[in-house]
């Protein structure tokens, strides 16, 4: 009978499991792809990092707008269709993010190179068409910033994602066998970890492709993916992610509101009463899963909500745990959001390579760490205190290893007028006048342009004009600038009459290139070690809360971390990173655009310092948490011991009463059988 029940129940729940896994994969893919495009969006819309943080946090805003409504009322409606609607909204939001690409027109970047150059050309002291181009571009600039569409699309993504997790997991828990539910949920979580791998790989692929691919002649594009002006085909990945998300909605439309497996309804028609009674008594039938739901008493629930919430928030252990996780989530979210950009700016890697490394190296290390943490917890059967110590120990070890990142720094790139003077003296300058020198004084150059060239001396100049170049040869990417008066050629016997410069930044320093593999190795190790404590830390939340408070505790935890970490962390991390910018780009209307070059040392200090500082604060709270948790465990043990003694006493009294009853019966029977007994009238 159990085998026949399994055949009847497995197909529907398996279909739902496959559909939910695909939905988790699609939402994780689009979310990680958003992280991979932050530098592309900065450059395309000419916005600073803090606005990228606002866009990134808008997903959490959309989620919070409807999470209470969906979690409460969604469970009473047709859950698969609610999830399908959510997937459709996610796909529409993803498509909306890509829409500005088709509105803005072609991407135009500042360049001194003309596609028609195929012979020696003499530059005038002032670029002839610069003023006209700026004016025309400004007239064409939209009155509404295009990044607003990206913001709104991400909000819509957050709204659509809301029902997937709570309704999907509850559906599995309601209609799967109890021994299979945990396995099914772990499968879904595993698939959700695979999503970011593909998301970052998609980001790596799209970052290699020029933004206007198919619309422009690539021979005329003079910049490379490593250039600060390069914008990849960011919109293409959103179209792909949106299509995948839309496909994930299809299966849910065909799934039932509830799976028709109640034992008392389905089996009566196929089995005899004796067989039905046997199946109902079998534990594998899980009859409790199919009892009809009682209508909700909204008035009673409303009356009980405030006292329950007050009781939950009155738990010192829970409040401390909440504070610790909020602070650590701030550190984690801020670090992960800007890690690809840190790799780009600090180690001189392209956006494509940074995203590839995140997808193929960091994310698998995190997934392996979370899985290994669960295995360790199961093998050693860690209790509440054991899980807390393990989570704290791995986090602390990862913290100390992360301190070595401060030593893995690179010097600032040599850029004349920004990180060093034209005479070769190193020193930072944020003032535009420092871009001008005697060697380029007769050129009437613009200090707001960013069109870097690399001189023969290994020093980068902000533009050919500021390098003092008066002519050029070649065309497109092969253009070479000649007679650059600001380039001081090194080496004996060099003639200063034909000093040249080539397009783009000078190559990255050898010492920094050598340091990068060590950074990557340490990044993988620390990601794995810190992730080891993820599963025990989550189980700690489950086990230190009363069973009747678990759902509310998880809901409050999710709400708090998204509100106080998911939304603000990318914003203030981006704002702090903006303070390290040395040279800002400019829009066609003269507004400040995206940053072109950062103070590498300051970037490393503020990025790593903010990450490590937040984690340091959380460790101090952990000390308080351990004291409260130890007291909580002792109280629970004392209560359990008291209850155990009461049960033992009750069992002893019951046995004693039973023995007395037996003795009395034996005594009565003995009297009844006594032959000397006489009945007297």
């Amino acid at each position: 009978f159990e085998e026949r029940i399994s055949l009847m129940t497995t197909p529907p729940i398996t279909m739902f499991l496959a559909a939910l896994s695909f939905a988790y994969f699609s939402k994780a893919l689009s979310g990680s792809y958003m992280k991979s495009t932050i530098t592309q969006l900065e450059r395309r819309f000419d916005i600073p990092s803090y606005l990228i943080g606002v866009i990134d946090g808008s997903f959490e805003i959309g989620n919070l707008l409807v999470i209470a409504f969906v979690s409460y009322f969604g469970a009473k409606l047709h859950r698969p269709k609610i999830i399908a609607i959510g997937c459709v909204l996610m796909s529409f939001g993803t498509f909306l993010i890509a829409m500005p690409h088709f509105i803005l027109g072609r991407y135009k970047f500042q360049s001194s190179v003309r596609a028609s150059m195929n012979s020696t050309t003499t530059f005038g002291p002032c670029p002839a068409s610069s003023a006209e181009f700026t004016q025309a571009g400004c007239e064409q600039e939209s009155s509404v910033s295009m990044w607003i569409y990206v913001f709104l699309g991400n909000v819509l993504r957050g709204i659509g994602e809301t029902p997937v997790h709570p309704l999907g997991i509850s559906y599995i828990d309601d209609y799967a066998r109890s021994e299979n539910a945990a396995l099914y949920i772990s499968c879904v979580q595993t698939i959700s970890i695979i999503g970011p791998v593909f998301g970052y790989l998609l980001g790596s692929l799209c970052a290699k492709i020029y933004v206007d691919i198919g619309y422009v002649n690539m021979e005329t594009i003079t910049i490379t993916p490593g250039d600060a002006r390069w914008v990849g085909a960011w919109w293409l990945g959103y179209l792909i992610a949106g299509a995948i998300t839309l496909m994930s909605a299809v299966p849910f439309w065909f799934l039932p509101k509830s799976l028709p497996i109640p034992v008392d309804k389905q089996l009566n028609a196929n089995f005899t009463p004796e067989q039905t009674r046997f199946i109902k008594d079998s534990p594998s039938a899980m009859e409790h899963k199919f009892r009809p739901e009682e209508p909700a008493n909204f008035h009673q629930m409303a009356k009980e909500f405030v006292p329950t919430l007050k009781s939950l928030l009155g738990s010192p252990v829970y409040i401390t745990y909440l504070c610790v996780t909020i602070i650590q989530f701030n550190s984690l979210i801020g670090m992960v959001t800007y890690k690809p950009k840190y790799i780009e700016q600090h180690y001189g890697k392209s956006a494509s390579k940074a995203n590839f490394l995140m997808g193929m190296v960091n994310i698998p290390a995190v997934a392996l760490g979370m899985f290994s943490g669960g295995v360790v917890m199961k093998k050693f059967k860690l209790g509440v205190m054991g899980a807390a110590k393990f989570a704290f120990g791995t986090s602390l070890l990862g913290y100390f290893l992360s301190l070595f990142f401060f030593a893995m720094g690179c010097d600032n790139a040599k850029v004349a007028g920004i990180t060093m003077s034209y005479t070769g003296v190193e020193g930072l300058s944020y003032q535009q006048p420092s871009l001008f020198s005697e060697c380029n004084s007769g050129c009437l150059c613009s200090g707001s342009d960013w069109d870097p060239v690399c001189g023969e001396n290994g020093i980068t100049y902000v533009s050919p004009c500021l390098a003092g170049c008066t002519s050029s040869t070649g065309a497109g990417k092969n253009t070479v600038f000649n007679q650059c008066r600001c380039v001081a050629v090194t080496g004996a016997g060099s003639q200063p009459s034909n000093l040249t410069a080539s397009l783009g930044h000078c190559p990255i320093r050898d010492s920094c290139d050598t340091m990068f593999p060590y950074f990557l190795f340490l990044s993988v190790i620390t990601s794995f070690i810190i992730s080891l404590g993820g599963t025990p830390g989550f189980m700690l939340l489950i086990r230190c809360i009363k069973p009747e408070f678990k759902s509310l505790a998880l809901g409050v935890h999710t709400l708090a971390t998204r509100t106080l970490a998911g939304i603000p962390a990318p914003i203030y991390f981006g704002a702090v990173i903006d303070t390290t910018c040395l040279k800002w780009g400019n829009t066609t209307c003269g507004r400040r655009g995206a940053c072109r070059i950062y103070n590498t040392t300051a970037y490393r200090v503020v990025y790593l310092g903010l990450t490590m500082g937040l984690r340091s604060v959380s460790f101090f709270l952990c000390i308080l948490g351990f004291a409260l948790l130890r007291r909580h465990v002792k109280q629970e043990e004392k209560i359990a011991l008291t209850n155990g003694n009461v049960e033992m006493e009750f069992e002893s009294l019951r046995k004693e009463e039973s023995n007395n009853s037996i003795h009395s019966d034996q005594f009565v029977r003995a009297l009844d059988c006594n032959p000397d007994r006489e009945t007297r009238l």
Side-chain angles (χ1 to χ4, degrees):
F1 297 127
E2 292 183 9
E3 291 179 359
R4 291 186 67 178
I5 294 172
S6 178
L7 289 173
M8 294 171 61
T9 59
T10 299
I13 195 66
T14 303
M15 288 176 58
F16 182 84
L17 178 65
L20 187 65
S21 298
F22 189 30
Y24 263 72
F25 171 81
S26 63
K27 76 182 183 70
L29 184 147
S30 58
S32 57
Y33 183 76
M34 165 63 77
K35 300 282 187 187
S36 74
T37 59
I38 60 170
T39 53
Q40 311 296 309
L41 296 176
E42 277 186 35
R43 296 167 185 173
R44 185 64 184 96
F45 299 111
D46 273 321
I47 55 177
S49 294
Y50 83 90
L51 276 182
I52 286 293
V54 173
I55 293 172
D56 188 75
S58 63
F59 178 85
E60 309 292 345
I61 295 173
N63 206 290
L64 292 173
L65 289 175
V66 295
I67 188 170
F69 178 82
V70 169
S71 299
Y72 188 81
F73 294 101
K76 306 179 187 304
L77 303 173
H78 197 300
R79 283 177 284 185
K81 288 188 177 179
I82 297 296
I83 295 174
I85 293 172
C87 291
V88 171
L89 289 177
M90 275 197 294
S91 68
F92 286 172
T94 310
F95 290 140
L96 181 59
I97 293 175
M99 191 179 70
H101 170 74
F102 303 98
I103 300 175
L104 277 173
R106 304 292 167 257
Y107 173 57
K108 297 177 182 178
F109 56 88
Q110 295 173 335
S111 177
S112 302
V113 181
R114 296 178 179 84
S116 60
M117 283 185 182
N118 53 14
S119 60
T120 302
T121 303
T122 302
F123 277 92
C126 181
S129 60
S130 62
E132 291 83 356
F133 171 78
T134 301
Q135 181 65 26
C138 187
E139 290 175 356
Q140 295 174 4
E141 196 168 274
S142 174
S143 59
V144 179
S145 297
M146 288 294 107
W147 66 266
I148 295 294
Y149 291 97
V150 182
F151 176 89
L152 295 176
N154 212 29
V155 170
L156 192 58
R157 277 189 58 244
I159 293 174
E161 189 267 350
T162 305
V164 177
H165 176 72
L167 301 188
I169 297 301
S170 65
Y171 194 91
I172 290 177
D173 187 59
D174 284 347
Y175 299 113
R177 292 174 178 270
S178 56
E179 63 268 23
N180 293 337
L183 175 63
Y184 291 163
I185 293 173
S186 66
C187 289
V188 172
Q189 298 291 351
T190 302
I191 296 296
S192 69
I193 294 174
I194 297 175
V197 175
F198 285 88
Y200 278 107
L201 291 180
L202 180 61
S204 174
L205 176 63
C206 293
K208 288 181 181 178
I209 305 171
Y210 186 66
V211 60
D212 291 322
I213 185 72
Y215 296 96
V216 297
N217 181 6
M218 292 304 296
E219 295 296 326
T220 64
I221 305 302
T222 59
I223 56 177
T224 63
D227 196 288
R229 295 164 294 172
W230 175 272
V231 176
W234 60 274
W235 54 272
L236 181 60
Y238 285 111
L239 294 181
I240 295 172
I244 293 174
T245 307
L246 188 60
M247 290 169 55
S248 70
V250 174
F252 292 105
W253 294 109
F254 302 98
L255 289 167
K257 179 180 180 181
S258 58
L259 299 183
I261 316 174
V263 177
D264 56 343
K265 293 182 180 179
Q266 276 203 346
L267 300 182
N268 286 336
N270 301 324
F271 298 94
T272 64
E274 289 77 11
Q275 290 173 330
T276 302
R277 191 179 306 110
F278 171 76
I279 293 172
K280 286 184 179 181
D281 293 338
S282 173
S284 63
M286 295 191 307
E287 185 180 2
H288 64 279
K289 293 254 184 203
F290 310 104
R291 286 180 292 193
E293 296 183 1
E294 297 179 0
N297 188 335
F298 292 97
H299 180 69
Q300 184 65 23
M301 292 173 65
K303 285 179 61 178
E304 294 176 355
F305 176 75
V306 174
T308 303
L309 181 63
K310 185 177 180 181
S311 178
L312 175 66
L313 298 181
S315 170
V317 175
Y318 179 74
I319 291 298
T320 306
Y321 179 89
L322 201 60
C323 293
V324 169
T325 52
I326 286 173
I327 295 173
Q328 290 193 343
F329 267 65
N330 271 272
S331 173
L332 176 66
I333 293 171
M335 183 269 293
V336 171
T337 300
Y338 293 100
K339 190 168 187 177
K341 182 174 180 176
Y342 178 77
I343 294 174
E344 290 178 51
Q345 298 295 332
H346 200 75
Y347 294 100
K349 306 300 178 184
S350 66
S352 175
K353 187 169 185 178
N355 291 328
F356 178 81
L357 293 173
M358 284 290 292
M360 292 301 294
V361 179
N362 270 81
I363 301 299
V366 171
L368 181 61
M370 293 179 67
F371 176 78
S372 301
V375 171
V376 169
M377 193 167 183
K378 180 179 180 180
K379 183 176 181 179
F380 294 98
K381 299 178 180 178
L382 299 179
V384 175
M385 285 302 299
K389 291 177 181 178
F390 183 77
F392 179 78
T394 54
S395 183
L396 192 62
L397 177 59
Y399 173 83
F400 285 124
L401 289 176
S402 298
L403 293 175
F404 287 101
F405 284 127
F406 285 100
M408 297 180 177
C410 296
D411 296 329
N412 285 300
K414 295 180 179 180
V415 182
I418 296 180
T419 62
M420 62 185 305
S421 68
Y422 283 89
T423 58
V425 179
E426 294 189 6
L428 300 175
S429 175
Y430 294 87
Q431 282 74 35
Q432 194 176 85
S434 62
L435 293 173
F436 303 99
S437 178
E438 184 178 352
C439 61
N440 58 32
S441 59
C443 298
L444 301 178
C445 305
S446 170
S448 61
D449 290 343
W450 179 259
D451 187 17
V453 292
C454 179
E456 290 184 48
N457 55 358
I459 296 175
T460 300
Y461 296 86
V462 172
S463 69
C465 185
L466 289 171
C469 304
T470 57
S471 65
S472 69
T473 57
K477 295 178 182 179
N478 299 319
T479 301
V480 176
F481 298 93
N482 305 309
Q483 304 297 328
C484 303
R485 293 191 298 269
C486 295
V487 178
V489 180
T490 57
S494 299
Q495 299 296 326
S497 59
N498 188 30
L499 306 180
T500 62
S502 56
L503 287 172
H505 282 273
C506 290
I508 192 171
R509 291 78 66 202
D510 292 337
S511 59
C512 190
D513 211 12
T514 305
M515 184 71 69
F516 183 68
Y518 296 100
F519 165 82
L520 199 61
F521 175 76
L522 185 61
S523 178
V524 171
I525 296 299
T526 52
S527 297
F528 173 77
I529 292 175
I530 293 174
S531 299
L532 279 172
T535 301
F538 184 76
M539 294 307 297
L540 176 63
L541 170 64
I542 300 296
R543 292 181 178 179
C544 70
I545 296 297
K546 294 180 180 180
E548 60 269 24
F549 292 163
K550 283 183 182 179
S551 297
L552 182 60
L554 289 171
V556 172
H557 179 264
T558 302
L559 181 67
T561 52
R562 289 185 171 181
T563 305
L564 302 178
I567 296 174
I571 298 175
Y572 66 76
F573 262 80
V576 170
I577 289 172
D578 283 339
T579 62
T580 66
C581 183
L582 294 175
K583 178 73 170 69
W584 291 95
N586 290 279
T587 66
T588 52
C589 287
R591 293 188 298 106
R592 192 176 78 173
C595 184
R596 300 305 187 190
I597 184 172
Y598 290 89
N599 179 349
T600 303
T601 303
Y603 193 129
R604 181 178 73 252
V605 171
V606 299
Y607 173 73
L608 296 176
L610 189 54
T611 302
M612 304 300 287
L614 288 168
R615 290 172 61 186
S616 300
V617 174
S618 71
F619 288 142
F620 285 108
L621 287 175
C622 283
I623 298 173
L624 173 63
F626 269 113
L628 295 172
L629 185 61
R630 187 175 289 108
R631 187 177 67 178
H632 172 77
V633 170
K634 287 182 179 180
Q635 289 177 350
E636 291 295 320
E637 290 176 349
K638 185 177 180 180
I639 293 172
L641 183 62
T642 303
N643 293 338
N645 291 336
V646 171
E647 290 180 3
M648 289 177 62
E649 290 178 5
F650 178 78
E651 185 69 19
S652 176
L653 289 173
R654 191 183 63 79
K655 288 182 178 180
E656 183 178 349
E657 182 180 352
S658 177
N659 291 335
N660 290 338
S661 176
I662 292 172
H663 291 322
S664 299
D665 291 343
Q666 290 176 349
F667 178 73
V668 170
R669 286 197 298 269
L671 289 176
D672 290 339
C673 298
N674 191 349
D676 296 333
R677 182 180 175 189
E678 294 181 0
T679 302
R680 296 184 181 181
L681 298 176

